[in-house]
């Protein structure tokens, strides 16, 4: 007969092993990197906001995320933390994702409450039935740079026929690339490869791909590195530029009915402040994005960061993107943007 003390010890060891295997810090299913929160928990702490964002090149310091827009500025200045405390949210946890689809996966799994990312993945998730609400537009006219390689590249878009082009699948750059190729009648004549922006340099250097559609920061950076620019979306096809959306889960919003009002007022305050301190803001953005100052200034025109949550131009861009995704049968179930929006 097995000794009772031995049996209890085995059970306890098994329980500890199981706990170790399942405790992963959240958002693990989507390949997120969890950043430090605002500080250690205390008995007086209240609720936690779990914030996800896209970060493939940036850095963090003192528990603050590499978010370079007004949202990041509000955290850098302490506006958001102080205002959220007034409604019982005393801690913010940050999760960095390599791209939008990964962030969507974590949100669908209930691992984050709010995401700041590109319009295309946000629309695709909503079209697939994900229970989210659009609470604002972080940035409009988000630019894309289509660059070619130095070996056997192209001089104009039509030269891509029969060639290979890449960007991150499901991103706002993906929608731009697909829309551009369709507009030129090249959609069926160009091979598409999905690559994250940090992986594109090696492929361009080897000549594996003839062109890559780069996002904010990475575009100007690669042009500076000598990769020829084929076109820049804002200058040739502004209707195909992206919109950075702010999306929250319906559950979090239901559980925190005062959150939207606080978020909106805090963000408006941050936009006004960063425009009053333009050079300081750009220095901050350069630091957290790990990019040179001129690259950051080209990437983030301040006129594209608006005080209002839903600027008219941004909604028009969003409608255009959604219609394209519906036409391409990438959105499974069409929906009205107006029904997705949650405003005060």
């Amino acid at each position: 007969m097995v000794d009772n003390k031995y049996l209890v010890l085995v059970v306890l060891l098994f329980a500890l092993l199981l706990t170790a295997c399942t405790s992963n810090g959240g958002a693990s299913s989507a390949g997120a990197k969890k950043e430090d929160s605002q500080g250690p928990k205390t008995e007086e702490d209240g609720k936690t906001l779990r914030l996800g964002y896209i970060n493939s090149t940036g850095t963090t310091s003192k528990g603050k995320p590499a978010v370079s827009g007004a949202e990041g500025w509000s955290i850098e200045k302490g506006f958001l933390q102080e205002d959220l405390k007034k409604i019982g949210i005393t801690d913010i946890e940050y999760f960095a994702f390599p791209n939008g689809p990964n962030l969507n996966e974590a949100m669908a799994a209930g691992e984050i409450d709010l995401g700041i990312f590109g319009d295309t993945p946000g629309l695709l998730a909503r079209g697939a039935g994900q229970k989210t609400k659009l609470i604002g537009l972080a940035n409009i006219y988000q630019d894309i740079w289509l660059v070619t390689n130095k070996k056997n590249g192209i001089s104009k878009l039509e030269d891509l026929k029969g060639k290979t082009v890449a960007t991150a699948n499901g991103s706002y750059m993906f929608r731009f690339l697909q829309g551009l190729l369709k507009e030129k009648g090249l959609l069926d004549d160009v091979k598409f490869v999905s690559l994250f922006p940090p992986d594109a340099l090696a492929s361009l250097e080897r000549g594996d791909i003839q062109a890559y559609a780069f996002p904010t920061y990475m575009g100007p950076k690669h042009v500076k590195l000598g990769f020829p620019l084929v076109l820049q979306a804002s200058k040739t096809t502004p209707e195909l530029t992206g919109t950075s959306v702010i999306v929250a889960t319906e559950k979090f919003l239901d559980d925190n009915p005062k959150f939207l009002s606080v978020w909106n007022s805090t963000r408006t305050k941050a936009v006004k402040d960063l425009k009053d301190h333009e050079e300081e803001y750009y220095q901050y953005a350069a630091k957290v994005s790990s990019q040179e100052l001129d690259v950051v200034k080209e990437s983030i025109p301040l006129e594209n960061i608006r005080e209002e949550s839903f600027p008219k131009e941004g909604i028009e861009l969003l409608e255009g993107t959604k219609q394209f995704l519906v036409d391409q049968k990438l959105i499974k179930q069409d929906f009205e943007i107006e029904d997705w929006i949650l405003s005060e």
Side-chain angles (χ1 to χ4, degrees):
M1 181 178 292
V2 179
D3 185 88
N4 285 340
K5 291 182 180 180
Y6 177 76
L7 183 60
V8 169
L9 180 61
V10 170
V11 171
L12 285 173
L13 287 172
F14 178 76
L16 287 171
L17 179 61
L18 183 62
T19 301
C21 291
T22 56
S23 297
N24 50 31
S28 60
S29 62
K33 177 183 178 184
K34 182 180 177 183
E35 313 291 358
D36 294 334
S37 62
Q38 292 302 303
K41 290 276 189 181
T42 70
E43 289 184 2
E44 297 179 356
D45 281 345
K47 296 181 180 180
T48 296
L49 168 66
R50 299 170 299 173
L51 189 154
Y53 65 100
I54 308 304
N55 175 27
S56 59
T57 61
T59 184
T60 62
S61 64
K62 298 179 181 178
K64 296 175 182 176
V67 179
S68 55
E71 299 73 28
W73 187 247
S74 71
I75 294 167
E76 173 69 14
K77 289 295 183 177
F79 300 155
L80 185 61
Q81 300 93 311
E82 289 303 313
D83 289 348
L84 287 180
K85 285 178 183 177
K86 299 172 185 176
I87 58 170
I89 299 176
T90 57
D91 189 57
I92 308 175
E93 292 179 351
Y94 307 104
F95 297 88
F97 295 85
N99 72 346
N102 293 116
L103 190 154
N104 271 336
E105 184 183 336
M107 190 170 283
E111 295 172 341
I112 63 170
D113 306 306
L114 182 146
I116 305 168
F117 57 131
D119 52 8
T120 296
L123 288 163
L124 289 171
R126 177 67 180 190
Q130 192 164 313
K131 294 185 180 302
T132 62
K133 284 293 185 181
L134 178 66
I135 65 170
L137 304 180
N139 194 316
I140 63 174
Y141 297 121
Q142 199 162 346
D143 221 341
I144 306 104
W145 291 257
L146 184 66
V147 308
T148 187
N149 66 43
K150 302 173 184 178
K151 293 183 178 180
N152 55 347
I154 62 171
S155 59
K156 59 185 183 299
L157 195 67
E158 288 75 13
D159 295 338
L160 275 175
K161 188 172 183 177
K163 302 290 184 17
T164 302
V165 65
T167 197
N169 193 18
S171 65
Y172 82 98
M173 304 90 71
F174 170 79
R175 184 264 165 167
F176 156 78
L177 196 55
Q178 295 285 301
L180 190 65
L181 294 174
K182 183 188 178 192
E183 190 177 282
K184 298 295 183 179
L186 295 169
L187 196 56
D188 297 327
D189 299 316
V190 175
K191 181 182 178 182
F192 172 77
V193 176
S194 182
L195 283 175
F196 288 151
D199 301 326
L201 177 61
S203 293
L204 283 169
E205 290 280 16
R206 290 193 302 265
D208 295 343
I209 57 176
Q210 278 65 59
Y212 190 92
F214 278 109
T216 298
Y217 303 134
M218 299 294 278
K221 176 181 179 179
H222 282 78
V223 172
K224 283 191 69 174
L225 290 173
F227 291 95
L229 178 66
V230 180
L231 58 85
Q232 186 175 340
S234 63
K235 296 179 179 179
T236 57
T237 53
E239 72 279 5
L240 295 179
T241 54
T243 307
S244 182
V245 298
I246 307 167
V247 173
T249 66
E250 292 182 3
K251 182 181 184 306
F252 177 78
L253 294 168
D254 289 342
D255 291 344
N256 299 275
K258 296 181 181 179
F259 174 80
L260 182 63
S261 177
V262 170
W263 175 270
N264 286 342
S265 62
T266 303
R267 186 182 176 280
T268 298
K269 177 168 58 178
V271 175
K272 290 178 179 178
D273 190 80
L274 70 84
K275 290 185 177 182
D276 287 341
H277 303 87
E278 182 174 335
E279 195 59 34
E280 183 186 351
Y281 166 72
Y282 274 129
Q283 292 286 349
Y284 156 78
K287 178 182 177 182
V288 298
S289 64
S290 299
Q291 303 293 342
E292 295 179 17
L293 189 60
D294 59 339
V295 167
V296 172
K297 289 184 175 182
E298 184 176 351
S299 295
I300 318 176
L302 294 192
E303 62 266 25
N304 292 347
I305 303 176
R306 306 291 176 85
E307 290 179 24
E308 61 267 40
S309 298
F310 301 104
K312 179 182 176 182
E313 305 97 311
I315 295 300
E316 290 173 352
L317 286 170
L318 207 57
E319 290 281 7
T321 300
K322 181 180 75 74
Q323 190 57 53
F324 172 82
L325 296 172
V326 169
D327 292 344
Q328 295 299 112
K329 299 185 178 358
L330 296 172
I331 284 184
K332 297 178 181 179
Q333 182 64 48
D334 196 5
F335 62 94
E336 296 294 330
I337 294 291
E338 187 176 310
D339 294 336
W340 189 29
I341 289 174
L342 179 64
S343 58
E344 293 181 76

